[in-house]
Amino acid sequence: MSAKRKGSKHLSGRFAVFITILLFVCSVIFLNNRITSGSLKRISYWIFNGVRGDATEASIAFDANEYNRFAVINGNLCVVSPEKLMSYKLSGKSTLNEAVLLRSPAISASKSRFAAYDLGGLNFYVATPEKLLYSGTCDAQILNISMNSSGDFTVVTDDDDCKSLVTVYDSKFEPVYKFHSSEKYIFDAAVSPGGKTVAIAAYGTTDGSFNAELHLGKTAEDSFYATVPLGASMPLDITYRKDGKIFVICNDRSLLLDGIGNLISEISHEDMPLKSFTAADGKHIAILLDNYQNGGNTRLLLVSGNGTAKSMDIGDDVYSISCAGDYVSVQYADKCTVYNDELTADSEFMIPASITHCIVNSDGSVLSVGDNFAMLYVE
């Protein structure tokens, strides 16, 4: 009985300390007449991540490497280097540091896990921001890995017996589906939330003409239930939404399809070269078109979940874009601007020249990433 009472007193004491700290921080902000939505965000970051309650920025330090790749998962910055998997809380505290071997690192992330793989190599790893869950080795070169929100993922590889092989792994790392493509090369593949269906983008030549197709199948069956012709378009990325709709980004257009392959909408890139794209969360797709080399302009497309698109012409150089929740960030030479889903500026941060790219969080805060550091900016 006395042990229970001591435990109860200990928990009560911790809760009292928590409430005291919270009231203190709120009082400081009220006294400084700065109670805004940004202030509330900073309180949240401070309480749950160790960031100061009155801070507008926090810093994370990590090992520099020109091949580092990044993702943000549950507010943690995950860093994949040729030698390590690293993860950090926004306060800078390290939560993961695992030795790996990746000559050409690449990353695919969901909201809870990420897959780190050797592009053109054989090794891949799956981890959370706190723990390495799995390490695997393929028999042929890895071309692409795509992680879904349920922890299932696709692995596209070369193969000795065919042009490309797609393997679907479930969240327990068991292979549940394989497709050997003997006639066409596979550029990308994705598995739906829950792992029931798979979408595969294949391309090749027929009678001397280039053509591409999107195949849709069930992971429990061998055959496809739908094939969508893509013509001469080069399919670059497939993203499943939570509702089962499928985004397909091609070099010249972007498509939104329903789960059985019916076209919902088609967004033309208007003969502008595709510079980059981002599909974080699968809620929106941000596409950067750049005609700069031909003396033209730069255009940002934001495609919503119903297939409609908003566009914004940009006169300045754009170094990176990022999309999460209802926000898209655009990195310029000396600043990062965060836009809402109407492409109206929501906030803006000045950034050092050493920043390589910026990652927006679903609440509109931004992680700006340099060679060996990242800065969190909260409006």
Side-chain angles (χ1 to χ4, degrees):
M1 181 66 71
S2 61
K4 289 184 179 180
R5 287 177 178 172
K6 287 181 179 179
S8 177
K9 289 181 179 178
H10 180 65
L11 290 175
S12 299
R14 292 178 63 183
F15 182 73
V17 170
F18 172 84
I19 293 298
T20 301
I21 292 173
L22 177 60
L23 291 174
F24 172 76
V25 174
C26 289
S27 299
V28 170
I29 294 175
F30 270 118
L31 289 173
N32 285 276
N33 195 26
R34 290 187 291 121
I35 187 65
T36 65
S37 60
S39 300
L40 296 177
K41 286 181 189 177
R42 290 195 288 275
I43 295 174
S44 172
Y45 280 121
W46 182 69
I47 292 173
F48 296 108
N49 297 287
V51 180
R52 291 198 326 272
D54 62 343
T56 57
E57 60 186 53
S59 181
I60 301 169
F62 48 84
D63 295 338
N65 193 296
E66 62 178 315
Y67 296 105
N68 283 347
R69 299 294 181 263
F70 308 92
V72 175
I73 300 176
N74 287 333
N76 297 272
L77 176 65
C78 301
V79 184
V80 176
S81 79
E83 299 177 347
K84 292 181 182 180
L85 302 184
M86 298 167 282
S87 183
Y88 302 88
K89 287 187 174 296
L90 298 179
S91 63
K93 179 183 177 181
S94 173
T95 59
L96 178 71
N97 193 321
E98 288 283 348
V100 296
L101 180 60
L102 300 168
R103 293 176 303 175
S104 180
I107 187 170
S108 176
S110 69
K111 288 188 176 181
S112 60
R113 296 181 175 185
F114 66 95
Y117 59 100
D118 194 356
L119 188 61
L122 305 178
N123 299 330
F124 70 94
Y125 307 85
V126 178
T128 67
E130 295 81 25
K131 184 180 180 180
L132 177 65
L133 300 176
Y134 182 79
S135 61
T137 303
C138 296
D139 295 328
Q141 292 182 341
I142 300 172
L143 305 178
N144 189 33
I145 290 182
S146 179
M147 175 79 66
N148 76 1
S149 59
S150 306
D152 314 294
F153 57 98
T154 58
V155 180
V156 181
T157 59
D158 287 335
D159 195 83
D160 293 335
D161 299 326
C162 61
K163 291 186 175 179
S164 299
L165 169 65
V166 177
T167 305
V168 177
Y169 290 83
D170 64 17
S171 58
K172 297 180 181 178
F173 315 111
E174 295 293 334
V176 295
Y177 174 91
K178 287 191 177 183
F179 170 64
H180 294 79
S181 179
S182 57
E183 297 181 355
K184 294 188 176 183
Y185 294 99
I186 305 300
F187 197 87
D188 193 21
V191 60
S192 64
K196 300 296 184 181
T197 62
V198 61
I200 298 171
Y203 68 98
T205 56
T206 302
D207 298 328
S209 299
F210 175 85
N211 65 86
E213 297 171 330
L214 181 72
H215 300 300
L216 303 176
K218 295 182 178 180
T219 54
E221 300 176 1
D222 293 331
S223 60
F224 297 120
Y225 61 79
T227 295
V228 181
L230 300 176
S233 297
M234 171 69 77
L236 302 175
D237 183 79
I238 305 170
T239 300
Y240 268 98
R241 285 173 41 84
K242 289 181 181 179
D243 57 10
K245 295 175 184 175
I246 306 166
F247 275 121
V248 182
I249 298 178
C250 300
N251 63 313
D252 61 346
R253 56 188 170 136
S254 296
L255 311 174
L256 180 65
L257 309 169
D258 65 16
I260 59 174
N262 295 318
L263 181 65
I264 297 174
S265 73
E266 177 178 326
I267 307 298
S268 172
H269 295 173
E270 300 176 4
D271 296 324
M272 294 182 66
L274 177 66
K275 182 177 181 179
S276 63
F277 56 85
T278 176
D281 293 350
K283 188 173 183 180
H284 294 89
I285 301 291
I287 300 168
L288 188 66
L289 307 173
D290 194 329
N291 212 19
Y292 178 76
Q293 292 183 347
N294 296 325
N297 62 324
T298 299
R299 180 172 299 161
L300 177 68
L301 295 179
L302 189 63
V303 185
S304 69
N306 61 12
T308 60
K310 292 181 173 61
S311 66
M312 178 177 68
D313 287 334
I314 300 173
D316 298 324
D317 292 338
V318 176
Y319 291 80
S320 74
I321 59 173
S322 175
C323 190
D326 293 322
Y327 298 96
V328 57
S329 67
V330 179
Q331 178 195 350
Y332 302 101
D334 58 353
K335 65 182 180 181
C336 177
T337 304
V338 178
Y339 301 91
N340 59 26
D341 55 4
E342 296 293 328
L343 288 182
T344 301
D346 185 78
S347 62
E348 192 167 88
F349 308 92
M350 304 307 294
I351 58 175
S354 56
I355 293 298
T356 57
H357 59 280
C358 295
I359 304 173
V360 68
N361 296 306
S362 58
D363 63 359
S365 60
V366 173
L367 273 168
S368 59
V369 183
D371 291 335
N372 63 345
F373 71 97
M375 299 291 294
L376 170 70
Y377 294 94
V378 185
E379 175 62 28

